[in-house]
Amino acid sequence: MVLSDITNPHFFELIRGAEQRAKASDVTLVIVNAEESRRIEENQIRDLSAGVDGFVLASSRLDDEVLRDLAKLHRIVLFNRELPGLTSVTFDTGAGCRQILEHLASLGHQSLTYCAGPPSSWIGAARWAALSAGAETHGLTAHRIGPYAPNVAGGGAAADGALRTGATAVIAHNDLLAIGVIRRLAQRGVRVPADISVIGFDDIFAADFVHPSLTTLAGPGSPAGRLAVEPLIEQFAGRSQRAGEAIRLPTELVLRESSGPAKRRA
């Protein structure tokens, strides 16, 4: 399992589910960190190819053509990424983003800013596409700023940029970035959610402990890990029913303290 960033808590449950499913079939799971680098990710795959039977690429940053070429040589399942012809496991981004838009519209918000993560993030692009496409339907204006590093440190610049847009709601690429946004807003004396609402993605364990606690879009992490490993195990056993299948899992908007009614304009 090649992870784009092993320090991101979003992957903890994914790893747990993958390891449980692998153990049940007497398969050893090897964890590799790509350090948010295309070069490192591709090199790790090529270096390990002789010693493993398949790869789960989690939030891969590789180009489509590189992935297709690798899939000709190795068994590959993508997580948090879809590519026609390759087996993948993702969360239902479109439905999840509609939940976010409906939530913000119900609170009287008229504008949102999406703080983007890595430019090569497929899931980030999918989230922005869903948010921007659905915003007008819900009476919202959508802005996109970034890219920002998808971690707490990146949240400082993201918060400053979001404030310049004048939006009443900020949607961050992931929870780590959202937590950094909340911290920076507090430093600037901006109240969350009284002055501005903040929403993240992934529902990492820290989302419930930051103050205010973070509203975020959650997906079933452990089941996703099991499903990501299963097609590889089926291929080992000579079964390939899921080859090329795009598996999409449901999402749920977890409402906490960081989102609230839009601030009335003076």
Side-chain angles (χ1 to χ4, degrees):
M1 176 174 280
V2 183
L3 306 173
S4 59
D5 179 5
I6 201 169
T7 65
N8 188 340
H10 170 51
F11 292 126
F12 292 173
E13 285 300 311
L14 178 79
I15 295 170
R16 185 199 305 272
E19 189 170 38
Q20 289 172 344
R21 182 63 185 89
K23 282 183 177 179
S25 296
D26 294 325
V27 173
T28 300
L29 182 71
V30 179
I31 305 297
V32 180
N33 182 22
E35 302 176 32
E36 287 286 358
S37 166
R38 294 181 182 183
R39 178 184 58 80
I40 292 175
E41 181 178 356
E42 188 171 1
N43 287 343
Q44 293 278 26
I45 293 169
R46 296 195 188 282
D47 291 346
L48 288 168
S49 60
V52 301
D53 297 300
F55 293 91
V56 175
L57 306 183
S59 297
S60 175
R61 305 308 189 207
L62 297 177
D63 293 335
D64 289 354
E65 288 307 311
V66 174
L67 287 173
R68 288 193 178 99
D69 289 342
L70 289 171
K72 294 174 184 176
L73 303 172
H74 315 294
R75 300 183 181 97
I76 286 179
V77 173
L78 303 177
F79 171 73
N80 256 0
R81 174 85 176 262
E82 288 185 3
L83 185 61
L86 273 66
T87 308
S88 61
V89 179
T90 60
F91 300 126
D92 192 337
T93 301
C97 288
R98 284 195 295 275
Q99 293 178 53
I100 293 174
L101 294 170
E102 289 166 359
H103 174 59
L104 292 177
S106 74
L107 294 170
H109 291 272
Q110 296 180 345
S111 59
L112 67 88
T113 292
Y114 177 68
C115 299
S120 55
S121 170
W122 179 92
I123 194 67
R127 287 166 179 167
W128 169 242
L131 291 169
S132 57
E136 186 176 354
T137 302
H138 292 84
L140 289 154
T141 301
H143 311 273
R144 182 183 184 276
I145 59 174
Y148 300 102
N151 51 42
V152 175
D160 291 345
L163 288 175
R164 289 175 58 88
T165 69
T168 58
V170 173
I171 303 174
H173 170 78
N174 64 8
D175 287 349
L176 292 175
L177 188 63
I179 290 169
V181 167
I182 290 175
R183 288 185 176 179
R184 176 59 176 163
L185 292 175
Q187 292 171 356
R188 293 192 57 170
V190 179
R191 300 168 299 167
V192 176
D195 297 325
I196 191 167
S197 291
V198 179
I199 296 176
F201 285 90
D202 298 338
D203 194 27
I204 63 174
F205 64 86
D208 205 20
F209 301 118
V210 65
H211 180 74
S213 58
L214 181 64
T215 294
T216 180
L217 191 71
S222 186
R226 291 195 294 271
L227 284 170
V229 168
E230 204 155 72
L232 295 176
I233 293 174
E234 290 175 353
Q235 289 181 50
F236 305 157
R239 304 189 306 271
S240 58
Q241 297 95 324
R242 300 193 186 197
E245 182 181 354
I247 303 167
R248 295 190 184 100
L249 300 175
T251 53
E252 176 188 6
L253 185 61
V254 181
L255 301 180
R256 296 194 180 98
E257 299 168 341
S258 68
S259 59
K263 184 178 181 180
R264 293 183 179 180
R265 298 185 182 278

